[in-house]
Amino acid sequence: SDGSIRLHQMTSESPLMQWNDSTKGQPIIALQWALTRPAVFFALDASSNIYIWDLLENDLVPVAKQTIPSEKVVTMTLLGEPEKANGLLGIVLAKESGQIDIQYVKKKWALP
């Protein structure tokens, strides 16, 4: 609820990594690992900002931030085919009006 993200290992109660205030205090409403690239995850905050984290490139801050300006995004999920090496990865955004928007991710964050 405060924008903090914690990365846990299943065998430990303490987080391996913790990023405080990663969304400048905005609650995170969705977070998902990339299906095609294990070191990348995406976070959606309550202000319709999508943060892309690539832990191999930078494990301190997101490598990119994209604001969806047109309408409030209420949730997101990712689509892709991890068994294929084509690097196709999409973000499905559900907007407050019920509209669904699909955006494709740059290859550098999608390729295995």
Side-chain angles (χ1 to χ4, degrees), residues 61-105:
V61 295
V63 294
K65 175 185 169 186
Q66 177 67 48
T67 301
I68 310 300
S70 59
E71 184 180 345
K72 183 176 181 177
V73 178
V74 294
T75 193
M76 74 168 185
T77 193
L78 299 177
L79 58 89
E81 298 177 294
E83 63 278 353
K84 293 187 178 177
N86 64 3
L88 189 62
L89 179 66
I91 303 175
V92 181
L93 305 170
K95 297 184 176 180
E96 199 168 43
S97 67
Q99 182 181 11
I100 302 293
D101 188 17
I102 299 174
Q103 297 185 9
Y104 288 95
V105 175

Side-chain angles (χ1 to χ4, degrees), residues 3-110:
S4 296
I5 298 173
R6 288 179 279 292
L7 176 64
H8 284 267
Q9 185 175 9
M10 296 295 287
T11 58
S12 176
E13 188 176 309
S14 301
L16 295 172
M17 296 281 296
Q18 181 166 329
W19 301 276
N20 295 320
D21 198 33
S22 63
T23 60
K24 298 190 180 12
Q26 287 295 316
I28 296 172
I29 57 175
L31 189 139
Q32 189 172 354
W33 286 101
L35 302 170
T36 57
R37 189 174 172 94
V40 174
F41 66 90
F42 298 78
L44 171 68
D45 74 13
S47 294
S48 300
N49 295 304
I50 299 171
Y51 301 85
I52 303 172
W53 292 78
D54 183 344
L55 300 179
L56 296 178
E57 185 177 328
N58 189 335
D59 64 358
L60 300 176
V61 295
V63 294
K65 175 185 169 186
Q66 177 67 48
T67 301
I68 310 300
S70 59
E71 184 180 345
K72 183 176 181 177
V73 178
V74 294
T75 193
M76 74 168 185
T77 193
L78 299 177
L79 58 89
E81 298 177 294
E83 63 278 353
K84 293 187 178 177
N86 64 3
L88 189 62
L89 179 66
I91 303 175
V92 181
L93 305 170
K95 297 184 176 180
E96 199 168 43
S97 67
Q99 182 181 11
I100 302 293
D101 188 17
I102 299 174
Q103 297 185 9
Y104 288 95
V105 175
K106 289 182 179 180
K107 294 276 189 193
K108 70 178 184 175
W109 296 313

